[in-house]
Amino acid sequence: MSTGNPNVSYFEASHGIKNWLYTLDHKRIGLMYLFGILTALMIGGAFALLVRIELMAPGETIVGPETYNRLFTLHGAVMVFLVIIPGVPAALGNMILPIQLGAPDVAFPRLNLFSFYLWCTGAACLLLSIVFGAIDTGWTFYTPYSLGGDHTPVMLAIGGAFLLGFSSIFTGLNFLVTIHKFRPQGMGWFQMPLNLWALYATALMQVLATPVLGITLLLLFMEHFLHIGIFDPTLGGDPVLFQHFFWFYSHPAVYIMIVPAMGVISDVLTTFSRKPIFGYRFIAYSSVSLALLSFLVWGHHMFVSGQSKLANMVFSALTFTVGIPAAIKVFNWTATLYKGDIRLKTPMIYALSFLILFTIGGLTGLFLAILSTDVHLHDTYFVVAHFHYVMMGSGLVAFLCGLHYWWPKFTGRMYPERIAQVCAVGVFIGFNLTFLPQFVMGSRGMPRRYWDYDPEFAIFHQISTIGAIILGISMFTQVIYLMASFKIGKKAPKNPWGASTLEWDAPSPPTLYNFPEPPEVHEIYEYDDIVEESPDNWVRVNRKGTGTKAEH
Amino acid sequence: MTAGHDHHAPHGPGSGHDDHGDHGTHPPGIQHHYDDAQHQFDSGKLGIWFFLAQEVLFFSALFVAYVLYRHHRPEIFAYAHHYLDVKWGAINTGVLIVSSLSAAWAVRCAQLAQRRGLILCLSITLVCACGFLAIKYIEYTHKIHEHILFGKKFDPCVSSGGQHLLTNGDHCPGTKRSACRAADVDLRPDQPGWQVACKVKETTPTGTRELPVCEMEAHHHGPAHAANPPCWEISQNPWVCKAGDFNGTPGVAALVHYGDHALRGSSTKIELECDAAKAPPTPDYAADLPVVGGLGQGTFQPKQKLSDHDLGVQRSMGPPPEHTNMFFSIYFCMTGLHGIHVLAGVIVCIWLLIRAVKGHFTPQYFGPVDYFALYWHLVDLIWIFLFPLLYLIH
């Protein structure tokens, strides 16, 4: 736990760069994560734009095929490991989770800081691999691609991903213990905000899936340097085993990206509909069941890798079951909107975008779960479009949603609402322009990861590139106005959205230990007591008097 | 559904969060975002359990690889485990069980405020952990010496033709080439086009037999070795000196490697006999070849004197199945990763020992000892699985 004056905001509690670098305060660590992640987002986005511009026309446009391979590999690795996986849990979760619990900090503040520095080291290694020639294996590091070539970039990229994995494990462990042990009096498991349920489910996956990535990368590392042969068929090893190990982690990893996003969306939809969430328990349970199912479906990435027919059928059937909790969520969210008092603030625009994009992403996932269609669609742009709808259209959009939603809380400043709304619409339009054409060309046989293509695909690629540019401009503008709002933004009130969860009872920005007084725990998602005192400033009036004092 | 069961002894009324900056309200060792010692202890304990779950998953991939490869190639596992010494494995199992007992006892001592007992128990754990690593070191060096390693580095002593596998590190240097014993003989096939053939004869009290020659190489006599690179490359027996690659330096010794690396006692005599004869002449230099024959003879004695016991260690198991190296990849990954965990335990144990000597632990604050003990039991447990899976295969 960090030291400093506990009665002023965490920005002012202590000063100097050292007090930030050695801080144990979850909000400062969260904010540092956020800066790191936004930087990585810009880098990953730049790679994406370069890839899209290269694909503007058949043949060479701006880079050659080898550079292209490196670009899409780096885009994938940076976006997955540095942006989306840590985005909601490590950055937003760190800042919000303890406050939503009414707690002064996470359970293990030193471990939290250690995770952050692991993340920094891992990120530095991954990005440093660019300097030494970069890797061109795709973010999946499939053997035998990842066994050849130069040692240095592979070592850096694999080592970086290994460290990032452990950063993720320790963050998850911290959150699990915090949620178990730091809930205040009056907040049982089913009085928790759904965001915490989602973070809990995510943390379970982080702790139980990421170690498998760790050992897999360690084996790959030794394969590279000691030729141990576990994945090398010439020495009797099995390269497909790498795929099994990798996807045993990386399928849950996809859910590590989407489940916390669902938590954010649950909180935001109820706030801006000013209606209690519909089917609280179903959403809570569906988060946990998604976490459990995530461990049982990895084989659907390998339908054409020579798995047995039986395994394919089992994995296909299990994959369909994922549709159940996902659909439960979507139906409950839609029901929450029904007859709600909907306000289209920026977070709400993102949340509604999420609903549409996630539905498309989820349903196209079923195409790929069907064995016969997957054989046709495997490794085409259809898959690229599908997972971008889920990972970016849902995961990253929810990150932006949560970022805007909680921005007034953790910075104490309002972002410019009008520009933000325009950008949010820009993201939605740009995103669909980029990825809808990819479904079409994928189903017509355009393979993914190809540098060149037949002229018949040119029109789709061009629409896609234009969409990507709109998306890029919207994203970049956001980073600019968010950073500017630090200095020139309007001062944020305690509760600008009329939200009901505990973090909105803390000052904006919170004091060093979050609450000057132990907060009262109220009934979850109950809006009757919250009224708009002045525009964008909501206060709680105690009509029912049902609140209980939180104890810390 | 239980509400708020997780909080223990909350602050009295009126004590808000503003007292969190005040260390005075908490006993030593209790961080101030916890309500009290029990809250901190419970949080830490839950944390370590999640960490152990993480550890189990970290090792799981290796166990899966083990099951997979053993299922696919059972003969490799049945064959290769003979290289492992059950004696050392069993001793290490015992060592770890003792250390686990002393770790558990250390927790008890900490709870009962028995400081000397705590120090003693932690010391026993530490000594056992180091002992385990020392024994592992002995096993590893033995394997490294015998080239019983992973991947391409799996290159153990095999008799010529691969019929016999030999396990005796001191007398079996490992690589296939150097495993062929070398013997020197002075030869003078001064001109290209000569063919040299060697025979190796072994005489023991029970009789005489001929040993196969694996390869031959040449060493120049005389000082200017670097200036006169050997013209003879490693080659099969008989060797033919090729035209143009011999610089004519007189006095060339042939180094003959012969196969069959059976371990030999000092009563064994090895004799080497080489003949140089004119190869079928080629038009270029057929005119002025000198006629030389029966050029060299040498004897060779084994350098080490082997005891009868060492000779008895020689095992005959037939040739290793293809990809026997996979067993050792898995063996070294699993035991290596386990060894790293033991090493981490040693470091933590030293840290705990220092804190115990300083008297940091009390019946109210002994969490670190408890967490370490839990970790140590897991490390022990993993070995309990590794020992039968790797050493005791039938």
Side-chain angles (χ1 to χ4, degrees), chain A residues 1 106-110 169 177 180-183 188 208 211 215 227-228 230 234-236 238 245 515 552, chain B residues 2 5-7 11 17 20 31-34 39 43 46-47 50 54 57-58 61 69 150-151 323 325-326 329:
Chain A
M1 164 138 285
V106 291
F108 309 117
R110 274 179 296 196
I169 290 172
V177 176
H180 268 281
K181 296 293 178 192
F182 280 76
R183 276 177 294 115
L208 297 180
I215 187 68
H227 305 289
I228 51 166
I230 298 248
T234 58
L235 295 172
D238 184 354
F245 284 169
F515 296 92
H552 273 290
Chain B
T2 51
H5 64 283
D6 297 309
H7 273 250
H11 298 307
H17 282 277
H20 275 292
Q31 293 179 46
H32 42 60
H33 61 294
Y34 293 111
H39 188 206
S43 301
L46 187 63
F50 278 123
Q54 181 278 129
L57 267 298
F58 196 69
Y69 288 124
F150 39 78
H323 298 317
N325 57 310
M326 284 310 296
S329 296

Side-chain angles (χ1 to χ4, degrees), chain A residues 379-461:
Chain A
D379 270 352
T380 67
Y381 266 71
F382 191 92
V383 177
V384 175
H386 158 69
F387 74 71
H388 276 90
Y389 264 86
V390 178
M391 286 158 76
M392 190 197 173
S394 313
L396 198 64
V397 160
F399 170 71
L400 295 174
C401 171
L403 187 63
H404 285 83
Y405 180 59
W406 284 305
W407 187 262
K409 181 51 65 191
F410 53 70
T411 63
R413 301 283 183 167
M414 300 299 288
Y415 56 85
E417 185 67 46
R418 187 60 64 187
I419 309 175
Q421 284 168 328
V422 173
C423 282
V425 173
V427 166
F428 182 74
I429 294 171
F431 180 84
N432 282 305
L433 265 185
T434 311
F435 293 105
L436 273 179
Q438 297 190 2
F439 280 126
V440 182
M441 64 175 146
S443 62
R444 293 183 186 187
M446 171 75 207
R448 69 190 282 202
R449 293 178 170 167
Y450 275 33
W451 171 75
D452 197 2
Y453 52 84
D454 284 343
E456 62 173 291
F457 296 117
I459 180 70
F460 301 114
H461 276 295

Side-chain angles (χ1 to χ4, degrees), chain A residues 1-4 6-7 102-110 162 166 169-170 173 176-177 179-191 200 204 207-209 211-212 214-216 218-219 222 225-239 241 245 248 281 295 513 515-519 551-552, chain B residues 1-23 31-35 39-40 42-66 68-69 72-73 150-153 322-326 328-330 332-333 337 340 371:
Chain A
M1 164 138 285
S2 41
T3 49
N7 295 316
D105 208 323
V106 291
F108 309 117
R110 274 179 296 196
F162 182 82
F166 272 90
I169 290 172
F170 291 138
L173 192 153
L176 285 176
V177 176
I179 291 173
H180 268 281
K181 296 293 178 192
F182 280 76
R183 276 177 294 115
Q185 293 273 347
M187 190 190 280
W189 284 95
F190 293 99
Q191 280 89 45
Y200 186 85
L204 269 183
V207 170
L208 297 180
V212 179
I215 187 68
T216 309
L218 203 62
L219 287 175
M222 289 194 285
F225 290 96
L226 301 172
H227 305 289
I228 51 166
I230 298 248
F231 302 131
D232 184 351
T234 58
L235 295 172
D238 184 354
L241 186 64
F245 284 169
F248 185 83
R281 284 193 182 225
F295 288 95
Y513 302 126
F515 296 92
E517 297 276 315
E551 296 290 358
H552 273 290
Chain B
M1 184 171 81
T2 51
H5 64 283
D6 297 309
H7 273 250
H8 313 269
H11 298 307
S15 76
H17 282 277
D18 49 351
D19 68 357
H20 275 292
D22 180 6
H23 285 267
Q31 293 179 46
H32 42 60
H33 61 294
Y34 293 111
D35 294 337
H39 188 206
Q40 169 165 319
D42 289 347
S43 301
K45 192 126 177 178
L46 187 63
I48 199 75
W49 275 112
F50 278 123
F51 179 74
L52 296 186
Q54 181 278 129
E55 287 286 14
V56 169
L57 267 298
F58 196 69
F59 274 93
S60 67
L62 292 174
F63 282 98
V64 169
Y66 177 94
L68 189 81
Y69 288 124
H72 284 334
R73 306 292 298 274
F150 39 78
K152 284 176 186 155
K153 298 191 179 70
E322 199 191 6
H323 298 317
T324 301
N325 57 310
M326 284 310 296
F328 294 98
S329 296
I330 288 170
F332 277 101
C333 285
L337 193 65
I340 290 170
Y371 311 150

